[in-house]
Amino acid sequence: MNTDTSHALFTRAQARLPGGVNSPVRAFGSVGGEPFFAARAEGPYLWDVDGNRYIDYVGSWGPMIAGHAHPAVMAAVAETMRHGLSFGVPNALEVDMAERLAALVPSLEMVRMVNSGTEATLSAIRLARGATGRSRIVKFEGCYHGHGDSFLVKAGSGALTFGLPNSPGVPQSLADLTLTLPYNDFEAADALFALHGAEIAGLIIEPIAGNMNCILPREGYLQHLRALTSKHGALLIFDEVMTGFRVAPGGAQELFGVTPDLSTFGKIIGGGMPVGAYGGRRELMAQVAPSGPIYQAGTLSGNPVAMAAGLATLDLLGAPGFHDALLGKTHRLCDGLEAAARDAGVPVTTNRAPAMFGLFFTDQKVESFAQATACDVAAFRRFFHGMLARGVYLAPSAYEAGFLSAAHDDADIDATVEAARGAFADARG
Ligand code: PLP
C-alpha cells in the first residue's frame, strides 16, 4: 500500500501542529506508524490522499451513523448554506432541533445547543453545581467526557490511550472536586455516596462506556445509580455524546429505561458538523442564562448549517427498523470476528450494542475498566495494522469503541471478517 502523500503531509503537519494532529488519538501514537490523511469519504468508505480505500469503523468518531456524505445530509447542508453560514441571531432550525430532540428523548424538556461534546459536558456540570449549590462531581474511571478540566481525572479515550488520564494543567484544587468510581461496581458507588453524598452536585456517566473500548452497564446498574443519586439529592447526568440516537432512537436512556436529570449530546446531532447539546428537566434548564443566573453562551451555538446536517441525519434515523438493522449488522460483524479469532487461535471476546462494539484481546467477558486495561494491547496493535493493510480502518487505540453505520452492508462486513482472518494471524505475533 503506497502512503507517500500521507507521509509527506504528516511530515509537514508535525512542524506546525502538536503531534501533527488536532486531536491526539488521530496521531496513531498508541498503535505506532503514521496516520493516513483523508481525501474523501462516502458511505462506509474513506479514501486517503494516496487513493487507498478503507472500510471505516470509526465514522468520524460517531457522527456518521447514516454513512459518509449521505445525499440527504449533503443536500440539506448545501441548501442551508445558500442563505448564509451564521447569523448571530436566532434561526428557525434551532427551534426545530430543540423540538426534535425533545420528541425523541422525553427527558429533554429543554435543551441548549453548543459546539462540541466537551462544551456540553462542562456546561452540564456547571448547571449541576449551580442548581444544587454543591461542588463535587462523580465520574467513572475510563469514562471520557471531553477535555474540560474537571473530567481529566482518570479519563478514558485519548487520555487513557496515551497514559495521561490526569492531565498537567488541571489545578489540583479543581481535580480534588472530581471523585471517581470503578464502572459497574455497585458497592463502591454506595460507599462513596455514604461518605460524600451531601457534597455531590452530580454524577456523570457514559451509559454505555465507549472510551475504554466498549463496556455495557451490568443489569440494574444504571437503575441503581438513578436511585442512589436521587436519594442523596445529586443530579444524574447521562453523557450520551456517543450513545445518543445511536443505540436507540431515544439513546441509552430509552434502551435501559432510566431517566437522567440532565443529558449531554454531540456527534450524531451535528451529522458531521461541530455540535453539542445539553438538556433535561425544565426546572433545571430554566436556570441557564438568560432565563436564569447560570452563565453559558456561544458565538456559533445553534449554527444553521450544523442544525440542518443534524436534522437531516435524525430524519434518516427515523426510518422504520433503522436501529434493529444496525443491531443485526453489529451481531454479524462481532460473530464473524469472534469466529475468525477462534479459527486463528487468538483469544478474543466482543461487547455489543446497536451500531457500537468492542473487541478485546482476552478470553473473558469484559465488564470493568480493570479488565479492559488488562487486555493484550500489543496484540491489538498488530491486529490494527493487519486490518489497515487489508483496507479496514478501526479506531487506532485499544480503548475506543467501534462504530457501524447504515451504509455498511453485508458484503462490507464479510470483507471485514475476511480481512480479520489474516489480521488475527498477524496478531498472534
Ligand atoms: N463525551 C463522550 C462520551 C465522548 O465520547 C466525547 C468525545 O468522543 C466527548 C464527550 C467530547 O466530545 P467532543 O470531542 O465533541 O468535545
Side-chain angles (χ1 to χ4, degrees), residues 134-211:
R134 301 171 176 184
S135 299
R136 291 191 188 269
I137 61 155
V138 178
K139 74 174 284 291
F140 291 82
E141 278 173 27
C143 280
Y144 180 69
H145 305 291
H147 61 87
D149 285 349
S150 295
F151 301 119
L152 291 181
V153 179
K154 297 193 179 173
S157 189
L160 177 59
T161 302
F162 292 101
L164 301 166
N166 308 300
S167 174
V170 175
Q172 189 59 46
S173 54
L174 189 62
D176 287 345
L177 296 176
T178 302
L179 306 172
T180 57
L181 279 173
Y183 199 86
N184 268 338
D185 185 329
F186 288 70
E187 291 77 25
D190 291 344
L192 185 86
F193 273 81
L195 210 56
H196 294 291
E199 304 152 42
I200 295 169
L203 174 148
I204 186 164
I205 185 166
E206 291 178 64
I208 296 172
N211 287 292

Side-chain angles (χ1 to χ4, degrees), residues 328-347:
K329 289 175 199 222
T330 311
H331 284 312
R332 186 182 183 99
L333 176 67
C334 290
D335 288 345
L337 291 175
E338 285 186 357
R342 221 171 18 249
D343 293 348
V346 179

Side-chain angles (χ1 to χ4, degrees), residues 305-328:
V305 185
M307 297 302 97
L311 284 164
T313 303
L314 292 175
D315 282 345
L316 294 167
L317 305 196
F322 184 92
H323 290 87
D324 289 344
L326 278 170
L327 180 60

Side-chain angles (χ1 to χ4, degrees), residues 23 61 115-121 143-147 157 206 208 210-211 239-243 264 266-267 275-276 400 403:
S23 195
W61 302 96
N115 301 297
S116 67
T118 295
E119 268 187 68
T121 55
C143 280
Y144 180 69
H145 305 291
H147 61 87
S157 189
E206 291 178 64
I208 296 172
N211 287 292
D239 181 352
E240 297 230 40
V241 168
M242 220 179 237
T243 53
T264 57
K267 302 191 191 274
V275 95
E400 303 282 355
F403 293 130

Side-chain angles (χ1 to χ4, degrees), residues 119-129 204 235 237 262-264 278:
E119 268 187 68
T121 55
L122 61 86
S123 304
I125 59 159
R126 182 179 304 141
L127 173 54
R129 285 172 164 152
I204 186 164
L235 300 184
I237 307 169
L262 293 174
S263 305
T264 57
Y278 66 105

Side-chain angles (χ1 to χ4, degrees), residues 42-44 62-73 246 268 271 312-314 316-317 322 326 404-408:
E42 197 181 318
M64 314 316 300
I65 191 164
H68 289 285
H70 191 287
V73 179
R246 171 169 294 279
I268 286 175
T313 303
L314 292 175
L316 294 167
L317 305 196
F322 184 92
L326 278 170
L404 277 142
S405 78
H408 290 85

